[in-house]
Amino acid sequence: TIVGRLTVCCYSSLALFFFYFAAFGGCLWSTNCEGDLTISTDPSTSGIISPGASLNVTCRLSGTYHDRSGLPLNFQPSGSKLSALNINVYQQQGLPVKVVNADTFATAQISSFTSEHAGEYSCVYTEFSGATKVVDLRRSLTLSLAEPPNVTKTQSVIHANISSSFQLACESRGNPAPLLQIVRQGQVLSSLPSGRRLVFSEQDLQVGSAGNYECQATNSMGSDSHTIQVIVQTPPTQALLNGAVNVPHTGTLQLSCNASAVPAPRITWTHNGSSLSQNVHTISSSDATFSTLRIRNLTLVHSGRYRCVGENLLGSTQKDATVVVQVPPDAPQAVSVSQVETTAVVLSWTPQFDGNTPITRYHINITNTASSTIRSESTADSSASNVAISGLTPDQKYRFFVQAENAIGRSAFSESSAEIQTNPEAPPVPLNVQVTDIQPVSVVVTWGIPTFSPRQGSLLSFSVLSYQSNNISHSSRILASAPTATSQRVDGLQKGTNYTIVVFSHNRALMSNDSGAAMAKFRTATTVPGAPRLFDPDQVSANSLRLRWAVPSDDGGVAITEWHVQRNTPLFETKVPFNQLQYLFSNLQPGMDYRFEVSAINTNGRGAAANFSITTPTIGAPPQPLLPSVTFSTGQSLQITFPAGSHAVQEFVVRSRAMSSSDGDWTSITVPGSETQACLTNLQPGTNYFVRIAVRTNNLLSPFSPRLPAATNQSGFSAPRLTLLKGGTSILVARPPCSSSQFVVQYRLANSTTWLNTSASSQSVRLVDLHLNSTYYVRVAVLDGQAHQFSAVSAIQTPLFTPESKGFFSENMILACWIV
């Protein structure tokens, strides 16, 4: 078998010539005759064509069988001429197609495919040297017309006896061969993926086998179905007049049944499988087909299944009746008490056997253990298994008993619940509450011990509640240091703030109320302010700088009125209004060390100072640069982009430190002035950093820029940058910034769950052989010994077609489209 290209070279052997010619066809007597004849459709198909579709069937000759000028080929070395190119397309008789011939191909153009176009298409190419056939190539393909399924509808109803079997066939035409399924009540019983006939059978039929069975046929052109009803036939059954009976234990049970049969049946009774005789029970019959059973003096043992059996020579049939004898309920169990309050509790229990009839209510006996008095209550909700009991006496001990009742009678009382004690009433408020030793953030509270009544129980402890007088949501409660203490220090207060203090007494269940007698109001003391927060100075030059600061978190409890600003060399002091948070120092000396201080002032005086030290630039040093920007971040690196500048930069000096570290922990790197970016590496994931830069020109260093806040990612890094290359079937993925030279790329189709992997050490990697008109997801990870967590995913959509697939672009052309 020869597939593809065939080269046959023969110089002298006539026998070998005829062997290759007869076996393969092709080119003979030539040393340079390579090529092939192909037949194909456009668009490409599987051979099954939709009605009305348009397509071309093309025979194409490739290789060196002819030259492109269309002239006859010279045969070397003999020099004889081969006949001109001859390609023939054979089709069915009367096929309405248009045939186009060219030097290297012939095309049959079909504008609207019908059944007339179905069949085999063949291409034959022959060449002769004189009268001798030297080339003989033949190719063929078969096309067929697609058609929707058409289910054969020959059978609509099938009758079958119970315990027998049935068989049904599902047949359908269609191209391609349809999927055949037999479905009942939404469940597929049998399936044939591709075929014309599907047979389904079922043995040992039961009543549940009856129903509608649907034959379904489906292919790419549509679907069709046909329903067959299966009827299962069963023998007759007898009727029971009273199938279920509820009867009180004081009543009489009466059951009746009938059975029709020829000859007349014999009727017998059983109870829970045991025969009932005429001697013990009352059994009467009005005729051969009807029987009545009567039982008096009922107990629970008479409950159960009663069976009436009718039988004759042809067989037997039977029916059951369920009898329930109703009695008083059993006593409830597991009586328990919860949610104990001052005068109320919640009582719960577990219901028991209801006597075969619903419980209508429960009765409760309440016993005061100390006085032995008994109180009774009844529930209105028959389904309840708990009830709220009120009207009890505070701080008393009780036991509870529960009794169930139904329509037949009452049960015995349950066993006693566990003994419980009701809560006491709220205790009295503490006496003579006062506040002493008032400090900026603490005070001492004192009080007297009140007298408790018997209903209020006994003193357990005291607690102190403090809150801002205008905002009770800012409150704090602490327990006194000892159960019977009469004083307590309260800490954690705010300076210069109005507070209210409330003292509560506690017994074992409740605490006292917040009446005025237990309250005291006061205002905490004030202090000088805390130190303000200094920012990095800006507008730094050899002779001046601007100092900036923020209001301190602690104003001392009194409003700040102004700022004290000081320079140490030579000493300079000034006052700045409160609303001015900056000061410009001028007339400074180049290259000199300075220390600046700022402190806040309120009515209590001047607070602690914040200070900042700096060395002014020398004459000719570059000015302070602008802030850089963070353009990319990972879990362990930051990419810094330098601000644009018009002066020549010898190098950049980049400093960084974690915000949680001190000013002495700066880490510095230098970057050539020709660079526009710098990478800060070996950082901690999920950490906030400060970044500052300075520039060096003519070996003179500028002041450092203000601090730039920046943060590393928790892990991983940003989504990759993607470029869709010309043609649309490949993507260029750039290496992540600030990463090592080795990185890995994963990509997949949007509708797939399988990631494909590739890795590279260059600046980018190209993903090729992608599908057109598809969405791809791409992510990257940097390899550093082992793969880090992958980045976020980027998505890219490939185009609907490539320039080459449409045939109207050259190799160096692209099509640009836009919306105005």
Side-chain angles (χ1 to χ4, degrees):
T1 300
I2 295 179
V3 180
R5 177 182 299 168
L6 173 65
T7 302
V8 179
C9 299
C10 182
Y11 294 99
S12 60
S13 174
L14 182 61
L16 186 58
F17 162 76
F18 285 113
F19 169 73
Y20 276 100
F21 184 80
F24 307 111
C27 175
L28 304 178
W29 300 337
S30 172
T31 60
N32 187 24
C33 49
E34 297 184 358
D36 197 7
L37 177 66
T38 60
I39 181 169
S40 61
T41 61
D42 183 17
S44 178
T45 70
S46 64
I48 301 175
I49 312 301
S50 299
S54 62
L55 73 156
N56 296 336
V57 182
T58 300
C59 299
R60 187 176 301 277
L61 188 65
S62 63
T64 58
Y65 288 118
H66 64 286
D67 60 23
R68 294 187 180 275
S69 65
L71 298 177
L73 299 174
N74 291 324
F75 177 70
Q76 300 294 335
S78 67
S80 61
K81 299 284 188 177
L82 295 176
S83 61
L85 177 64
N86 178 24
I87 298 179
N88 300 316
V89 177
Y90 297 100
Q91 55 262 3
Q92 294 180 345
Q93 183 68 26
L95 182 66
V97 300
K98 180 181 179 182
V99 179
V100 179
N101 290 286
D103 288 342
T104 62
F105 65 89
T107 299
Q109 298 176 343
I110 302 174
S111 60
S112 179
F113 197 89
T114 66
S115 60
E116 295 178 344
H117 298 95
E120 183 180 81
Y121 289 73
S122 300
C123 299
V124 179
Y125 171 69
T126 59
E127 287 188 6
F128 291 84
S129 177
T132 303
K133 183 184 295 184
V134 296
V135 177
D136 185 7
L137 299 176
R138 301 171 185 272
R139 300 291 184 266
S140 64
L141 59 78
T142 300
L143 302 180
S144 60
L145 180 67
E147 60 176 332
N150 186 355
V151 176
T152 302
K153 303 173 177 63
T154 59
Q155 196 176 21
S156 296
V157 180
I158 296 177
H159 293 83
N161 292 334
I162 194 168
S163 301
S164 65
S165 63
F166 78 90
Q167 176 177 294
L168 58 86
C170 178
E171 301 180 7
S172 176
R173 298 191 302 274
N175 190 25
L179 163 67
L180 297 179
Q181 291 181 319
I182 295 178
V183 179
R184 178 174 178 269
Q185 295 180 353
Q187 180 181 2
V188 177
L189 304 179
S190 183
S191 177
L192 181 63
S194 176
R196 306 295 183 188
R197 188 171 192 269
L198 174 62
V199 176
F200 173 76
S201 62
E202 185 172 341
Q203 308 295 321
D204 191 22
L205 293 181
Q206 300 300 318
V207 175
S209 301
N212 291 331
Y213 293 71
E214 186 176 26
C215 168
Q216 299 178 350
T218 305
N219 67 8
S220 58
M221 298 301 295
S223 61
D224 192 18
S225 64
H226 175 57
T227 300
I228 301 173
Q229 182 183 14
V230 175
I231 300 175
V232 179
Q233 301 171 344
T234 60
T237 57
Q238 73 175 16
L240 185 66
L241 297 182
N242 43 3
V245 175
N246 294 329
V247 56
H249 67 106
T250 55
T252 298
L253 171 65
Q254 178 172 309
L255 298 176
S256 299
C257 78
N258 69 332
S260 299
V262 177
R266 182 175 69 93
I267 299 177
T268 59
W269 292 88
T270 63
H271 173 224
N272 294 334
S274 300
S275 298
L276 299 180
S277 65
Q278 181 77 36
N279 298 331
V280 179
H281 304 86
T282 302
I283 301 176
S284 62
S285 300
S286 58
D287 56 44
T289 64
F290 192 86
S291 177
T292 300
L293 170 67
R294 293 182 180 85
I295 301 177
R296 296 180 176 84
N297 301 320
L298 296 174
T299 64
L300 284 177
V301 298
H302 292 107
S303 296
R305 184 189 65 187
Y306 288 80
R307 173 169 292 175
C308 171
V309 179
E311 58 182 342
N312 62 10
L313 296 176
L314 301 179
S316 65
T317 183
Q318 63 188 31
K319 282 292 186 178
D320 292 342
T322 300
V323 173
V324 176
V325 176
Q326 298 169 329
V327 297
D330 288 347
Q333 294 183 6
V335 179
S336 62
V337 182
S338 62
Q339 301 181 33
V340 178
E341 298 179 2
T342 304
T343 60
V345 298
V346 172
L347 186 66
S348 303
W349 58 88
T350 301
Q352 299 302 301
F353 174 57
D354 63 1
N356 290 327
T357 187
I359 292 175
T360 56
R361 63 178 56 85
Y362 289 93
H363 303 278
I364 301 166
N365 275 0
I366 306 167
T367 301
N368 187 311
T369 305
S371 62
S372 298
T373 57
I374 298 177
R375 189 182 107 201
S376 297
E377 289 190 5
S378 298
T379 64
D381 185 358
S382 60
S383 63
S385 59
N386 58 74
V387 65
I389 305 295
S390 59
L392 304 178
T393 302
D395 208 28
Q396 292 291 305
K397 295 180 179 181
Y398 289 93
R399 291 182 179 272
F400 300 87
F401 305 83
V402 182
Q403 181 186 57
E405 180 181 357
N406 65 11
I408 307 303
R410 294 189 182 188
S411 71
F413 273 101
S414 68
E415 294 184 0
S416 169
S417 70
E419 185 180 70
I420 61 96
Q421 185 174 5
T422 53
N423 291 335
E425 293 178 344
V429 298
L431 307 175
N432 194 26
V433 175
Q434 295 182 4
V435 175
T436 63
D437 191 19
I438 300 176
Q439 300 295 323
V441 293
S442 67
V443 295
V444 173
V445 183
T446 62
W447 61 88
I449 298 177
T451 300
F452 281 64
S453 70
R455 295 171 63 94
Q456 293 173 326
S458 58
L459 174 64
L460 183 64
S461 64
F462 292 98
S463 67
V464 180
L465 176 70
S466 60
Y467 60 90
Q468 296 179 16
S469 297
N470 59 348
N471 190 354
I472 196 171
S473 62
H474 288 180
S475 62
S476 175
R477 181 185 296 273
I478 59 174
L479 288 176
S481 56
T484 57
T486 56
S487 66
Q488 179 66 42
R489 176 171 291 279
V490 179
D491 298 307
L493 307 180
Q494 295 184 11
K495 301 175 183 178
T497 303
N498 293 325
Y499 279 92
T500 298
I501 290 285
V502 184
V503 181
F504 297 88
S505 58
H506 297 256
N507 57 24
R508 63 181 179 83
L510 300 173
M511 67 180 183
S512 60
N513 58 40
D514 56 354
S515 66
M519 289 186 180
K521 296 184 178 182
F522 64 95
R523 182 178 179 85
T524 53
T526 60
T527 64
V528 297
R533 183 166 59 94
L534 284 180
F535 300 114
D536 292 338
D538 60 2
Q539 301 180 15
V540 179
S541 68
N543 304 109
S544 64
L545 60 79
R546 185 175 65 172
L547 195 64
R548 302 174 299 135
W549 60 88
V551 175
S553 58
D554 178 15
D555 62 1
V558 183
I560 296 173
T561 57
E562 57 185 350
W563 308 97
H564 178 266
V565 181
Q566 177 177 318
R567 182 190 65 203
N568 66 337
T569 307
L571 181 62
F572 169 80
E573 297 178 286
T574 187
K575 297 291 192 300
V576 176
F578 170 73
N579 59 357
Q580 180 178 327
L581 299 176
Q582 61 184 23
Y583 187 81
L584 180 65
F585 285 92
S586 58
N587 299 321
L588 304 179
Q589 296 300 313
M592 189 168 183
D593 294 333
Y594 285 96
R595 178 185 175 91
F596 302 93
E597 294 184 356
V598 179
S599 54
I601 300 173
N602 64 13
T603 56
N604 292 320
R606 191 172 83 187
N611 60 79
F612 186 88
S613 298
I614 190 172
T615 301
T616 54
T618 58
I619 297 295
Q624 182 184 36
L626 300 175
L627 281 173
S629 60
V630 177
T631 53
F632 194 83
S633 62
T634 73
Q636 295 180 314
S637 64
L638 294 171
Q639 184 186 59
I640 306 300
T641 298
F642 301 125
S646 58
H647 57 280
V649 176
Q650 180 180 349
E651 66 180 8
F652 292 95
V653 179
V654 183
R655 288 183 176 177
S656 62
R657 70 170 176 86
M659 289 187 183
S660 58
S661 63
S662 63
D663 267 347
D665 294 332
W666 291 98
T667 299
S668 297
I669 63 171
T670 58
V671 180
S674 59
E675 299 291 333
T676 60
Q677 294 175 328
C679 284
L680 305 178
T681 58
N682 299 322
L683 305 180
Q684 296 298 318
T687 303
N688 294 320
Y689 282 86
F690 283 132
V691 178
R692 304 173 67 187
I693 66 169
V695 298
R696 191 184 305 276
T697 303
N698 297 325
N699 293 323
L700 296 176
L701 187 65
S702 73
F704 277 89
S705 68
R707 288 174 290 188
L708 171 70
T712 55
N713 299 341
Q714 287 293 339
S715 59
F717 42 90
S718 304
R721 291 171 289 182
L722 309 179
T723 302
L724 185 65
L725 299 182
K726 185 183 74 133
T729 58
S730 59
I731 297 173
L732 190 68
V733 186
R735 187 175 72 196
C738 297
S739 64
S740 62
S741 59
Q742 186 73 18
F743 69 105
V744 66
V745 178
Q746 285 191 341
Y747 63 102
R748 66 175 174 85
L749 283 166
N751 59 0
S752 172
T753 58
T754 302
W755 289 95
L756 302 177
N757 292 274
T758 185
S759 60
S761 58
S762 58
Q763 293 296 321
S764 61
V765 63
R766 180 170 178 168
L767 311 178
V768 298
D769 298 330
L770 306 180
H771 297 295
L772 294 175
N773 194 27
S774 301
T775 299
Y776 279 86
Y777 293 148
V778 183
R779 62 185 185 180
V780 298
V782 176
L783 292 179
D784 185 14
Q786 60 181 356
H788 293 174
Q789 181 177 346
F790 276 93
S791 69
V793 172
S794 283
I796 196 166
Q797 174 76 25
T798 57
L800 186 62
F801 57 86
T802 65
E804 294 80 2
S805 69
K806 283 297 182 180
F808 49 74
F809 284 110
S810 65
E811 289 297 325
N812 59 353
M813 293 176 61
I814 62 172
L815 175 65
C817 302
W818 60 91
I819 298 175
V820 179

